[in-house]
Amino acid sequence: MPAVTAALGRWPVLVSAGAATPGDLSAARAQMGFSLAWHIIVACLGVGLPALTLLAEWLGIRRDDPALKLLARRWARAMGVLFAVGAVSGTILSFEMGLLWPGLMGRFGQVIGLPFALEGIAFFIEAIFLGIYLYAWDRLSPRRHLLTGIPIVVAGTASAFFVVCANAWMNQPRGFTLGDGKIVDVAPWAAMLNPASPPQTVHMIIAAFMVASFLTASVYAVALLRGRRDAYHRAGFAIPFALGAVAAPFQILVGDWAARFLSDYQPVKLAAIEGVYRTGSHVPLTIGGVAGDDGLEYGLRVPDGLSLLVGYRTDTVVEGLDQVPRGQWPAVTAVHWAFDLMVAVGFFLLALGVWLLLAWWRTRRGGGLLDRRGSRLLLALVALAGPASVVALESGWSVTELGRQPWIVYGVMSVRDAVNPAPGLMTGLWLVLVVYAAMTVATVYVLRRLARGTAVPVAPQEADVRNYPVV
């Protein structure tokens, strides 16, 4: 493993001329954190829900199933609403990057501008085909209409890829040279395709599909628990749950890959995640606990566990927080608990997928998947899986961001030196909270109106399913 000091000493540290007050710095961090936490949920639905919609439509065409066709129609309308809301929250974030962090964007905009530009292109492609998909439903043949949805899935996934590449660059800055405090020799492609891009982008994209799948499945699980056992609700439950269950084991493997990446490229973050204060071998894996003076306290320790996970040997040396000054330590307790929570939810979702596999195998020997004893327990757990997947998503993003502190660009620029030194950032925080509260209420209201069905006209090809109750 490379030394932490070498990783942090790759570039000279850039310091701004002015500094914001502690209150304004906290307000800027809170505003950005809240905006990202809100947007990331809608963004995940924007990536995963189109794939679910196309899958339902394809199955409906293949089986000539009116329930599946109606399901696709309903999900498509929700997809349009969420796309519009995501466009608003994404625009707010783009303004916040410049207004709150001029030290970052003013200095490094030319370095990380490429992924944002490509994300803009992907966004417009997605918007164009989403309009075609929504408004040409009754004007194209079923198969041609299905094909118009494929660019939506591709462009939505590409948008997530490009944005996460920009964040990955903040963890592994590449593609430039610092000469006398100025950025020279800019290589935008090298910056975008930095070493952190592969694990971060794959981890985030799979997470998006899982969140969209389990959130959607949880809605129909509640409906099934209330006795709505018709074909419409069964399909609305089975399709997203199956997709989420398939993605769960891959996410566990990718998460392990991402953790091993940290051991090589960001050992300080890994040390904070696992509460490792001192470099050494035979390092235990600690579950739970809080940061004390000498390490994590009150946690459950697995002897040699972390060394074994990092290097497949109990004598693997794991670098600790003692490699950097104490002022450069992330918030150990917060990062450690966020990581533990993410992992716990991940294995919970994996267990649900295994349960589904076993239940499916039993149904091949007779009986329906949702008719057997224990199905109500499965449905209740899936109803919890939707919110739990969001908790895992937010926890994982917290690990990514809090684990990099106090750096906004790892080893190059601190958060304090990137923030806008102008006063009044607290006012912006309150304004953003009001705006997002209004957007949340409006989004929930519109989605509930769509769910009731009476406010949405039924297409001609759906005439034979007018009486289906919808969720």
Side-chain angles (χ1 to χ4, degrees), residues 156-193:
T157 305
S159 292
F161 173 81
F162 294 133
V163 169
V164 177
C165 279
N167 181 266
W169 175 87
M170 296 165 71
N171 288 300
Q172 289 297 305
R174 297 291 192 279
F176 66 96
T177 302
L178 278 174
D180 297 326
K182 296 181 179 180
I183 306 298
V184 296
D185 300 329
V186 175
W189 286 103
M192 186 177 80
L193 303 177

PDB file of all heavy atoms in Angstrom, residues 156-193:
ATOM      1  N   GLY A 156     -29.955   8.217 -19.032  1.00  0.00           N
ATOM      2  CA  GLY A 156     -30.040   8.381 -17.581  1.00  0.00           C
ATOM      3  C   GLY A 156     -28.864   7.742 -16.868  1.00  0.00           C
ATOM      4  O   GLY A 156     -28.298   8.323 -15.928  1.00  0.00           O
ATOM      5  N   THR A 157     -28.488   6.545 -17.312  1.00  0.00           N
ATOM      6  CA  THR A 157     -27.319   5.880 -16.719  1.00  0.00           C
ATOM      7  C   THR A 157     -26.039   6.654 -17.020  1.00  0.00           C
ATOM      8  O   THR A 157     -25.158   6.785 -16.159  1.00  0.00           O
ATOM      9  CB  THR A 157     -27.213   4.438 -17.255  1.00  0.00           C
ATOM     10  OG1 THR A 157     -28.437   3.744 -17.007  1.00  0.00           O
ATOM     11  CG2 THR A 157     -26.065   3.694 -16.581  1.00  0.00           C
ATOM     12  N   ALA A 158     -25.932   7.173 -18.245  1.00  0.00           N
ATOM     13  CA  ALA A 158     -24.754   7.965 -18.607  1.00  0.00           C
ATOM     14  C   ALA A 158     -24.660   9.228 -17.768  1.00  0.00           C
ATOM     15  O   ALA A 158     -23.560   9.630 -17.350  1.00  0.00           O
ATOM     16  CB  ALA A 158     -24.802   8.318 -20.098  1.00  0.00           C
ATOM     17  N   SER A 159     -25.787   9.872 -17.506  1.00  0.00           N
ATOM     18  CA  SER A 159     -25.780  11.072 -16.656  1.00  0.00           C
ATOM     19  C   SER A 159     -25.211  10.759 -15.287  1.00  0.00           C
ATOM     20  O   SER A 159     -24.383  11.512 -14.748  1.00  0.00           O
ATOM     21  CB  SER A 159     -27.199  11.627 -16.525  1.00  0.00           C
ATOM     22  OG  SER A 159     -27.662  12.153 -17.745  1.00  0.00           O
ATOM     23  N   ALA A 160     -25.671   9.659 -14.701  1.00  0.00           N
ATOM     24  CA  ALA A 160     -25.149   9.263 -13.392  1.00  0.00           C
ATOM     25  C   ALA A 160     -23.651   8.990 -13.469  1.00  0.00           C
ATOM     26  O   ALA A 160     -22.886   9.382 -12.575  1.00  0.00           O
ATOM     27  CB  ALA A 160     -25.888   8.028 -12.900  1.00  0.00           C
ATOM     28  N   PHE A 161     -23.218   8.336 -14.544  1.00  0.00           N
ATOM     29  CA  PHE A 161     -21.796   8.025 -14.709  1.00  0.00           C
ATOM     30  C   PHE A 161     -20.954   9.298 -14.741  1.00  0.00           C
ATOM     31  O   PHE A 161     -19.945   9.412 -14.027  1.00  0.00           O
ATOM     32  CB  PHE A 161     -21.591   7.220 -15.990  1.00  0.00           C
ATOM     33  CG  PHE A 161     -20.141   6.992 -16.347  1.00  0.00           C
ATOM     34  CD1 PHE A 161     -19.421   5.982 -15.742  1.00  0.00           C
ATOM     35  CD2 PHE A 161     -19.506   7.798 -17.275  1.00  0.00           C
ATOM     36  CE1 PHE A 161     -18.087   5.774 -16.061  1.00  0.00           C
ATOM     37  CE2 PHE A 161     -18.177   7.608 -17.606  1.00  0.00           C
ATOM     38  CZ  PHE A 161     -17.463   6.585 -16.996  1.00  0.00           C
ATOM     39  N   PHE A 162     -21.363  10.279 -15.546  1.00  0.00           N
ATOM     40  CA  PHE A 162     -20.561  11.494 -15.703  1.00  0.00           C
ATOM     41  C   PHE A 162     -20.502  12.298 -14.400  1.00  0.00           C
ATOM     42  O   PHE A 162     -19.442  12.815 -14.028  1.00  0.00           O
ATOM     43  CB  PHE A 162     -21.121  12.345 -16.830  1.00  0.00           C
ATOM     44  CG  PHE A 162     -20.996  11.714 -18.182  1.00  0.00           C
ATOM     45  CD1 PHE A 162     -22.076  11.677 -19.061  1.00  0.00           C
ATOM     46  CD2 PHE A 162     -19.797  11.136 -18.587  1.00  0.00           C
ATOM     47  CE1 PHE A 162     -21.958  11.088 -20.305  1.00  0.00           C
ATOM     48  CE2 PHE A 162     -19.667  10.544 -19.831  1.00  0.00           C
ATOM     49  CZ  PHE A 162     -20.751  10.514 -20.698  1.00  0.00           C
ATOM     50  N   VAL A 163     -21.626  12.414 -13.706  1.00  0.00           N
ATOM     51  CA  VAL A 163     -21.637  13.181 -12.460  1.00  0.00           C
ATOM     52  C   VAL A 163     -20.756  12.523 -11.405  1.00  0.00           C
ATOM     53  O   VAL A 163     -19.993  13.198 -10.695  1.00  0.00           O
ATOM     54  CB  VAL A 163     -23.082  13.355 -11.953  1.00  0.00           C
ATOM     55  CG1 VAL A 163     -23.084  13.914 -10.544  1.00  0.00           C
ATOM     56  CG2 VAL A 163     -23.865  14.282 -12.867  1.00  0.00           C
ATOM     57  N   VAL A 164     -20.857  11.213 -11.295  1.00  0.00           N
ATOM     58  CA  VAL A 164     -20.051  10.515 -10.286  1.00  0.00           C
ATOM     59  C   VAL A 164     -18.573  10.561 -10.649  1.00  0.00           C
ATOM     60  O   VAL A 164     -17.715  10.574  -9.768  1.00  0.00           O
ATOM     61  CB  VAL A 164     -20.548   9.068 -10.109  1.00  0.00           C
ATOM     62  CG1 VAL A 164     -19.675   8.307  -9.119  1.00  0.00           C
ATOM     63  CG2 VAL A 164     -21.994   9.062  -9.613  1.00  0.00           C
ATOM     64  N   CYS A 165     -18.254  10.612 -11.942  1.00  0.00           N
ATOM     65  CA  CYS A 165     -16.846  10.784 -12.347  1.00  0.00           C
ATOM     66  C   CYS A 165     -16.281  12.085 -11.790  1.00  0.00           C
ATOM     67  O   CYS A 165     -15.121  12.141 -11.368  1.00  0.00           O
ATOM     68  CB  CYS A 165     -16.722  10.767 -13.872  1.00  0.00           C
ATOM     69  SG  CYS A 165     -16.702   9.125 -14.609  1.00  0.00           S
ATOM     70  N   ALA A 166     -17.094  13.150 -11.823  1.00  0.00           N
ATOM     71  CA  ALA A 166     -16.643  14.427 -11.268  1.00  0.00           C
ATOM     72  C   ALA A 166     -16.393  14.307  -9.769  1.00  0.00           C
ATOM     73  O   ALA A 166     -15.395  14.840  -9.251  1.00  0.00           O
ATOM     74  CB  ALA A 166     -17.687  15.517 -11.547  1.00  0.00           C
ATOM     75  N   ASN A 167     -17.273  13.609  -9.062  1.00  0.00           N
ATOM     76  CA  ASN A 167     -17.053  13.406  -7.633  1.00  0.00           C
ATOM     77  C   ASN A 167     -15.837  12.519  -7.386  1.00  0.00           C
ATOM     78  O   ASN A 167     -15.085  12.736  -6.431  1.00  0.00           O
ATOM     79  CB  ASN A 167     -18.297  12.790  -6.996  1.00  0.00           C
ATOM     80  CG  ASN A 167     -18.123  12.580  -5.502  1.00  0.00           C
ATOM     81  OD1 ASN A 167     -17.739  11.503  -5.062  1.00  0.00           O
ATOM     82  ND2 ASN A 167     -18.407  13.617  -4.724  1.00  0.00           N
ATOM     83  N   ALA A 168     -15.657  11.502  -8.238  1.00  0.00           N
ATOM     84  CA  ALA A 168     -14.489  10.627  -8.092  1.00  0.00           C
ATOM     85  C   ALA A 168     -13.201  11.416  -8.242  1.00  0.00           C
ATOM     86  O   ALA A 168     -12.201  11.138  -7.568  1.00  0.00           O
ATOM     87  CB  ALA A 168     -14.557   9.498  -9.121  1.00  0.00           C
ATOM     88  N   TRP A 169     -13.204  12.420  -9.136  1.00  0.00           N
ATOM     89  CA  TRP A 169     -12.019  13.254  -9.300  1.00  0.00           C
ATOM     90  C   TRP A 169     -11.684  13.983  -8.005  1.00  0.00           C
ATOM     91  O   TRP A 169     -10.505  14.186  -7.679  1.00  0.00           O
ATOM     92  CB  TRP A 169     -12.245  14.269 -10.420  1.00  0.00           C
ATOM     93  CG  TRP A 169     -11.106  15.232 -10.570  1.00  0.00           C
ATOM     94  CD1 TRP A 169      -9.976  15.061 -11.310  1.00  0.00           C
ATOM     95  CD2 TRP A 169     -10.985  16.511  -9.947  1.00  0.00           C
ATOM     96  NE1 TRP A 169      -9.146  16.153 -11.189  1.00  0.00           N
ATOM     97  CE2 TRP A 169      -9.751  17.066 -10.347  1.00  0.00           C
ATOM     98  CE3 TRP A 169     -11.797  17.242  -9.083  1.00  0.00           C
ATOM     99  CZ2 TRP A 169      -9.308  18.305  -9.917  1.00  0.00           C
ATOM    100  CZ3 TRP A 169     -11.367  18.485  -8.656  1.00  0.00           C
ATOM    101  CH2 TRP A 169     -10.136  19.013  -9.072  1.00  0.00           C
ATOM    102  N   MET A 170     -12.695  14.380  -7.256  1.00  0.00           N
ATOM    103  CA  MET A 170     -12.448  15.056  -5.981  1.00  0.00           C
ATOM    104  C   MET A 170     -11.762  14.124  -4.990  1.00  0.00           C
ATOM    105  O   MET A 170     -11.044  14.576  -4.092  1.00  0.00           O
ATOM    106  CB  MET A 170     -13.762  15.578  -5.402  1.00  0.00           C
ATOM    107  CG  MET A 170     -14.411  16.640  -6.286  1.00  0.00           C
ATOM    108  SD  MET A 170     -16.136  16.977  -5.875  1.00  0.00           S
ATOM    109  CE  MET A 170     -15.940  17.837  -4.312  1.00  0.00           C
ATOM    110  N   ASN A 171     -11.956  12.823  -5.162  1.00  0.00           N
ATOM    111  CA  ASN A 171     -11.271  11.846  -4.314  1.00  0.00           C
ATOM    112  C   ASN A 171      -9.905  11.462  -4.845  1.00  0.00           C
ATOM    113  O   ASN A 171      -9.015  11.100  -4.080  1.00  0.00           O
ATOM    114  CB  ASN A 171     -12.138  10.586  -4.181  1.00  0.00           C
ATOM    115  CG  ASN A 171     -13.348  10.799  -3.306  1.00  0.00           C
ATOM    116  OD1 ASN A 171     -13.226  11.140  -2.132  1.00  0.00           O
ATOM    117  ND2 ASN A 171     -14.532  10.624  -3.868  1.00  0.00           N
ATOM    118  N   GLN A 172      -9.738  11.519  -6.164  1.00  0.00           N
ATOM    119  CA  GLN A 172      -8.460  11.177  -6.795  1.00  0.00           C
ATOM    120  C   GLN A 172      -8.137  12.207  -7.873  1.00  0.00           C
ATOM    121  O   GLN A 172      -8.319  11.958  -9.067  1.00  0.00           O
ATOM    122  CB  GLN A 172      -8.528   9.773  -7.388  1.00  0.00           C
ATOM    123  CG  GLN A 172      -8.552   8.664  -6.372  1.00  0.00           C
ATOM    124  CD  GLN A 172      -7.288   8.611  -5.544  1.00  0.00           C
ATOM    125  OE1 GLN A 172      -6.178   8.527  -6.081  1.00  0.00           O
ATOM    126  NE2 GLN A 172      -7.431   8.667  -4.233  1.00  0.00           N
ATOM    127  N   PRO A 173      -7.690  13.413  -7.496  1.00  0.00           N
ATOM    128  CA  PRO A 173      -7.436  14.468  -8.489  1.00  0.00           C
ATOM    129  C   PRO A 173      -6.325  14.085  -9.456  1.00  0.00           C
ATOM    130  O   PRO A 173      -5.230  13.697  -9.048  1.00  0.00           O
ATOM    131  CB  PRO A 173      -7.051  15.676  -7.626  1.00  0.00           C
ATOM    132  CG  PRO A 173      -6.590  15.101  -6.318  1.00  0.00           C
ATOM    133  CD  PRO A 173      -7.385  13.848  -6.120  1.00  0.00           C
ATOM    134  N   ARG A 174      -6.640  14.183 -10.739  1.00  0.00           N
ATOM    135  CA  ARG A 174      -5.700  13.874 -11.817  1.00  0.00           C
ATOM    136  C   ARG A 174      -5.929  14.869 -12.943  1.00  0.00           C
ATOM    137  O   ARG A 174      -6.858  15.656 -12.942  1.00  0.00           O
ATOM    138  CB  ARG A 174      -5.928  12.447 -12.352  1.00  0.00           C
ATOM    139  CG  ARG A 174      -5.686  11.324 -11.367  1.00  0.00           C
ATOM    140  CD  ARG A 174      -4.209  11.186 -11.022  1.00  0.00           C
ATOM    141  NE  ARG A 174      -3.936   9.949 -10.306  1.00  0.00           N
ATOM    142  CZ  ARG A 174      -4.126   9.769  -9.000  1.00  0.00           C
ATOM    143  NH1 ARG A 174      -4.632  10.770  -8.280  1.00  0.00           N
ATOM    144  NH2 ARG A 174      -3.825   8.643  -8.407  1.00  0.00           N
ATOM    145  N   GLY A 175      -5.076  14.813 -13.958  1.00  0.00           N
ATOM    146  CA  GLY A 175      -5.314  15.546 -15.191  1.00  0.00           C
ATOM    147  C   GLY A 175      -4.916  17.008 -15.152  1.00  0.00           C
ATOM    148  O   GLY A 175      -5.466  17.809 -15.924  1.00  0.00           O
ATOM    149  N   PHE A 176      -3.970  17.383 -14.324  1.00  0.00           N
ATOM    150  CA  PHE A 176      -3.507  18.763 -14.300  1.00  0.00           C
ATOM    151  C   PHE A 176      -2.150  18.802 -13.605  1.00  0.00           C
ATOM    152  O   PHE A 176      -1.723  17.848 -12.956  1.00  0.00           O
ATOM    153  CB  PHE A 176      -4.494  19.678 -13.555  1.00  0.00           C
ATOM    154  CG  PHE A 176      -4.617  19.372 -12.085  1.00  0.00           C
ATOM    155  CD1 PHE A 176      -3.880  20.076 -11.140  1.00  0.00           C
ATOM    156  CD2 PHE A 176      -5.474  18.373 -11.644  1.00  0.00           C
ATOM    157  CE1 PHE A 176      -3.987  19.786  -9.784  1.00  0.00           C
ATOM    158  CE2 PHE A 176      -5.579  18.082 -10.296  1.00  0.00           C
ATOM    159  CZ  PHE A 176      -4.843  18.786  -9.365  1.00  0.00           C
ATOM    160  N   THR A 177      -1.498  19.947 -13.749  1.00  0.00           N
ATOM    161  CA  THR A 177      -0.242  20.200 -13.053  1.00  0.00           C
ATOM    162  C   THR A 177      -0.350  21.566 -12.393  1.00  0.00           C
ATOM    163  O   THR A 177      -0.907  22.503 -12.970  1.00  0.00           O
ATOM    164  CB  THR A 177       0.954  20.187 -14.028  1.00  0.00           C
ATOM    165  OG1 THR A 177       1.004  18.918 -14.688  1.00  0.00           O
ATOM    166  CG2 THR A 177       2.262  20.430 -13.288  1.00  0.00           C
ATOM    167  N   LEU A 178       0.168  21.650 -11.169  1.00  0.00           N
ATOM    168  CA  LEU A 178       0.193  22.916 -10.458  1.00  0.00           C
ATOM    169  C   LEU A 178       1.561  23.562 -10.621  1.00  0.00           C
ATOM    170  O   LEU A 178       2.578  22.996 -10.229  1.00  0.00           O
ATOM    171  CB  LEU A 178      -0.105  22.699  -8.969  1.00  0.00           C
ATOM    172  CG  LEU A 178      -1.577  22.584  -8.569  1.00  0.00           C
ATOM    173  CD1 LEU A 178      -1.695  22.230  -7.088  1.00  0.00           C
ATOM    174  CD2 LEU A 178      -2.318  23.866  -8.857  1.00  0.00           C
ATOM    175  N   GLY A 179       1.586  24.752 -11.228  1.00  0.00           N
ATOM    176  CA  GLY A 179       2.825  25.489 -11.378  1.00  0.00           C
ATOM    177  C   GLY A 179       2.684  26.898 -10.836  1.00  0.00           C
ATOM    178  O   GLY A 179       1.896  27.684 -11.369  1.00  0.00           O
ATOM    179  N   ASP A 180       3.377  27.192  -9.757  1.00  0.00           N
ATOM    180  CA  ASP A 180       3.296  28.503  -9.105  1.00  0.00           C
ATOM    181  C   ASP A 180       1.861  28.832  -8.697  1.00  0.00           C
ATOM    182  O   ASP A 180       1.392  29.971  -8.831  1.00  0.00           O
ATOM    183  CB  ASP A 180       3.844  29.614 -10.018  1.00  0.00           C
ATOM    184  CG  ASP A 180       5.321  29.433 -10.336  1.00  0.00           C
ATOM    185  OD1 ASP A 180       6.054  28.934  -9.453  1.00  0.00           O
ATOM    186  OD2 ASP A 180       5.731  29.777 -11.455  1.00  0.00           O
ATOM    187  N   GLY A 181       1.144  27.821  -8.221  1.00  0.00           N
ATOM    188  CA  GLY A 181      -0.228  28.024  -7.767  1.00  0.00           C
ATOM    189  C   GLY A 181      -1.243  28.109  -8.884  1.00  0.00           C
ATOM    190  O   GLY A 181      -2.418  28.382  -8.623  1.00  0.00           O
ATOM    191  N   LYS A 182      -0.833  27.882 -10.129  1.00  0.00           N
ATOM    192  CA  LYS A 182      -1.744  27.943 -11.260  1.00  0.00           C
ATOM    193  C   LYS A 182      -1.923  26.564 -11.871  1.00  0.00           C
ATOM    194  O   LYS A 182      -1.019  25.725 -11.823  1.00  0.00           O
ATOM    195  CB  LYS A 182      -1.204  28.924 -12.322  1.00  0.00           C
ATOM    196  CG  LYS A 182      -1.117  30.375 -11.845  1.00  0.00           C
ATOM    197  CD  LYS A 182      -0.604  31.262 -12.958  1.00  0.00           C
ATOM    198  CE  LYS A 182      -0.535  32.719 -12.481  1.00  0.00           C
ATOM    199  NZ  LYS A 182      -0.023  33.622 -13.556  1.00  0.00           N
ATOM    200  N   ILE A 183      -3.097  26.342 -12.458  1.00  0.00           N
ATOM    201  CA  ILE A 183      -3.402  25.069 -13.095  1.00  0.00           C
ATOM    202  C   ILE A 183      -2.890  25.097 -14.525  1.00  0.00           C
ATOM    203  O   ILE A 183      -3.272  25.964 -15.329  1.00  0.00           O
ATOM    204  CB  ILE A 183      -4.922  24.796 -13.095  1.00  0.00           C
ATOM    205  CG1 ILE A 183      -5.471  24.893 -11.670  1.00  0.00           C
ATOM    206  CG2 ILE A 183      -5.225  23.446 -13.707  1.00  0.00           C
ATOM    207  CD1 ILE A 183      -4.899  23.899 -10.714  1.00  0.00           C
ATOM    208  N   VAL A 184      -2.010  24.157 -14.859  1.00  0.00           N
ATOM    209  CA  VAL A 184      -1.470  24.065 -16.216  1.00  0.00           C
ATOM    210  C   VAL A 184      -1.531  22.603 -16.663  1.00  0.00           C
ATOM    211  O   VAL A 184      -1.785  21.698 -15.869  1.00  0.00           O
ATOM    212  CB  VAL A 184      -0.018  24.587 -16.285  1.00  0.00           C
ATOM    213  CG1 VAL A 184       0.033  26.075 -15.954  1.00  0.00           C
ATOM    214  CG2 VAL A 184       0.883  23.810 -15.326  1.00  0.00           C
ATOM    215  N   ASP A 185      -1.259  22.404 -17.949  1.00  0.00           N
ATOM    216  CA  ASP A 185      -1.227  21.050 -18.529  1.00  0.00           C
ATOM    217  C   ASP A 185      -2.505  20.277 -18.205  1.00  0.00           C
ATOM    218  O   ASP A 185      -2.478  19.138 -17.729  1.00  0.00           O
ATOM    219  CB  ASP A 185      -0.006  20.258 -18.027  1.00  0.00           C
ATOM    220  CG  ASP A 185       1.298  20.926 -18.398  1.00  0.00           C
ATOM    221  OD1 ASP A 185       1.338  21.592 -19.448  1.00  0.00           O
ATOM    222  OD2 ASP A 185       2.264  20.787 -17.636  1.00  0.00           O
ATOM    223  N   VAL A 186      -3.652  20.895 -18.475  1.00  0.00           N
ATOM    224  CA  VAL A 186      -4.931  20.263 -18.164  1.00  0.00           C
ATOM    225  C   VAL A 186      -5.209  19.137 -19.154  1.00  0.00           C
ATOM    226  O   VAL A 186      -5.082  19.307 -20.371  1.00  0.00           O
ATOM    227  CB  VAL A 186      -6.069  21.305 -18.211  1.00  0.00           C
ATOM    228  CG1 VAL A 186      -7.421  20.638 -18.013  1.00  0.00           C
ATOM    229  CG2 VAL A 186      -5.839  22.375 -17.162  1.00  0.00           C
ATOM    230  N   ALA A 187      -5.598  17.980 -18.613  1.00  0.00           N
ATOM    231  CA  ALA A 187      -5.982  16.811 -19.416  1.00  0.00           C
ATOM    232  C   ALA A 187      -7.364  16.367 -18.946  1.00  0.00           C
ATOM    233  O   ALA A 187      -7.477  15.537 -18.032  1.00  0.00           O
ATOM    234  CB  ALA A 187      -4.961  15.684 -19.259  1.00  0.00           C
ATOM    235  N   PRO A 188      -8.442  16.908 -19.543  1.00  0.00           N
ATOM    236  CA  PRO A 188      -9.792  16.643 -19.042  1.00  0.00           C
ATOM    237  C   PRO A 188     -10.179  15.169 -19.020  1.00  0.00           C
ATOM    238  O   PRO A 188     -10.849  14.720 -18.078  1.00  0.00           O
ATOM    239  CB  PRO A 188     -10.686  17.437 -20.010  1.00  0.00           C
ATOM    240  CG  PRO A 188      -9.798  18.501 -20.575  1.00  0.00           C
ATOM    241  CD  PRO A 188      -8.453  17.868 -20.660  1.00  0.00           C
ATOM    242  N   TRP A 189      -9.771  14.393 -20.034  1.00  0.00           N
ATOM    243  CA  TRP A 189     -10.132  12.980 -20.051  1.00  0.00           C
ATOM    244  C   TRP A 189      -9.431  12.219 -18.943  1.00  0.00           C
ATOM    245  O   TRP A 189     -10.031  11.331 -18.309  1.00  0.00           O
ATOM    246  CB  TRP A 189      -9.807  12.363 -21.410  1.00  0.00           C
ATOM    247  CG  TRP A 189     -10.758  12.770 -22.487  1.00  0.00           C
ATOM    248  CD1 TRP A 189     -10.545  13.683 -23.472  1.00  0.00           C
ATOM    249  CD2 TRP A 189     -12.101  12.305 -22.670  1.00  0.00           C
ATOM    250  NE1 TRP A 189     -11.657  13.819 -24.259  1.00  0.00           N
ATOM    251  CE2 TRP A 189     -12.634  12.981 -23.805  1.00  0.00           C
ATOM    252  CE3 TRP A 189     -12.900  11.382 -21.997  1.00  0.00           C
ATOM    253  CZ2 TRP A 189     -13.922  12.756 -24.276  1.00  0.00           C
ATOM    254  CZ3 TRP A 189     -14.196  11.162 -22.468  1.00  0.00           C
ATOM    255  CH2 TRP A 189     -14.699  11.834 -23.576  1.00  0.00           C
ATOM    256  N   ALA A 190      -8.179  12.551 -18.678  1.00  0.00           N
ATOM    257  CA  ALA A 190      -7.462  11.907 -17.577  1.00  0.00           C
ATOM    258  C   ALA A 190      -8.086  12.281 -16.242  1.00  0.00           C
ATOM    259  O   ALA A 190      -8.129  11.471 -15.311  1.00  0.00           O
ATOM    260  CB  ALA A 190      -5.984  12.309 -17.608  1.00  0.00           C
ATOM    261  N   ALA A 191      -8.570  13.519 -16.130  1.00  0.00           N
ATOM    262  CA  ALA A 191      -9.239  13.942 -14.898  1.00  0.00           C
ATOM    263  C   ALA A 191     -10.533  13.180 -14.697  1.00  0.00           C
ATOM    264  O   ALA A 191     -10.829  12.693 -13.588  1.00  0.00           O
ATOM    265  CB  ALA A 191      -9.508  15.445 -14.940  1.00  0.00           C
ATOM    266  N   MET A 192     -11.335  13.050 -15.751  1.00  0.00           N
ATOM    267  CA  MET A 192     -12.618  12.376 -15.623  1.00  0.00           C
ATOM    268  C   MET A 192     -12.445  10.879 -15.364  1.00  0.00           C
ATOM    269  O   MET A 192     -13.113  10.293 -14.507  1.00  0.00           O
ATOM    270  CB  MET A 192     -13.457  12.594 -16.887  1.00  0.00           C
ATOM    271  CG  MET A 192     -14.873  12.053 -16.774  1.00  0.00           C
ATOM    272  SD  MET A 192     -15.887  12.388 -18.228  1.00  0.00           S
ATOM    273  CE  MET A 192     -15.297  11.092 -19.324  1.00  0.00           C
ATOM    274  N   LEU A 193     -11.540  10.255 -16.106  1.00  0.00           N
ATOM    275  CA  LEU A 193     -11.330   8.811 -15.964  1.00  0.00           C
ATOM    276  C   LEU A 193     -10.200   8.549 -14.983  1.00  0.00           C
ATOM    277  O   LEU A 193      -9.200   7.902 -15.302  1.00  0.00           O
ATOM    278  CB  LEU A 193     -11.043   8.198 -17.330  1.00  0.00           C
ATOM    279  CG  LEU A 193     -12.141   8.440 -18.383  1.00  0.00           C
ATOM    280  CD1 LEU A 193     -11.728   7.867 -19.726  1.00  0.00           C
ATOM    281  CD2 LEU A 193     -13.462   7.851 -17.922  1.00  0.00           C
TER     282      LEU A 193
END
